[in-house]
Amino acid sequence: MPGRELGRERWEELWSDLTAMLRDGERRGRIETLRPEHDPALLAPPDRGSVCASVVYTYRRAGQPCLVCGTPIARTTHLARNLFWCPTCQAG
């Protein structure tokens, strides 16, 4: 959806989530932000060979199960860019 269609309340919620994720990424020294239960570096003991999609939820994982709900990851192209998402967790 275009940003101009969000409305003030939804924009504030989105901004709150984004700034929290950016602060977390800066604190951890990495761009990727994963839930702790999916981050191989945070598992005890650390699991470097984890099936945690190597720190991505959807990117380049078309057809593979979503780490959160198990739905196959979808893929399409838009303006020559590949887009990956979970149709359940990231439903429009």
Side-chain angles (χ1 to χ4, degrees), residues 36-75:
E37 64 267 27
H38 298 142
D39 190 339
L42 299 179
L43 297 176
D47 182 3
R48 301 294 180 219
S50 174
V51 292
C52 293
S54 300
V55 302
V56 294
Y57 282 101
T58 61
Y59 183 63
R60 294 186 176 174
R61 297 191 63 242
Q64 296 179 37
C66 172
L67 297 176
V68 177
C69 74
T71 301
I73 299 299
R75 177 196 166 275

Side-chain angles (χ1 to χ4, degrees), residues 1-64:
M1 127 180 352
R4 66 182 170 271
E5 294 178 15
L6 280 175
R8 186 65 177 189
E9 183 178 342
R10 205 160 180 196
W11 166 251
E12 294 292 341
E13 291 172 5
L14 180 61
W15 184 255
S16 177
D17 285 348
L18 288 172
T19 55
M21 290 173 64
L22 286 170
R23 277 193 291 278
D24 183 57
E26 182 180 32
R27 180 184 56 79
R28 293 173 50 183
R30 48 194 261 204
I31 296 170
E32 301 91 355
T33 302
L34 297 174
R35 293 179 178 181
E37 64 267 27
H38 298 142
D39 190 339
L42 299 179
L43 297 176
D47 182 3
R48 301 294 180 219
S50 174
V51 292
C52 293
S54 300
V55 302
V56 294
Y57 282 101
T58 61
Y59 183 63
R60 294 186 176 174
R61 297 191 63 242
Q64 296 179 37

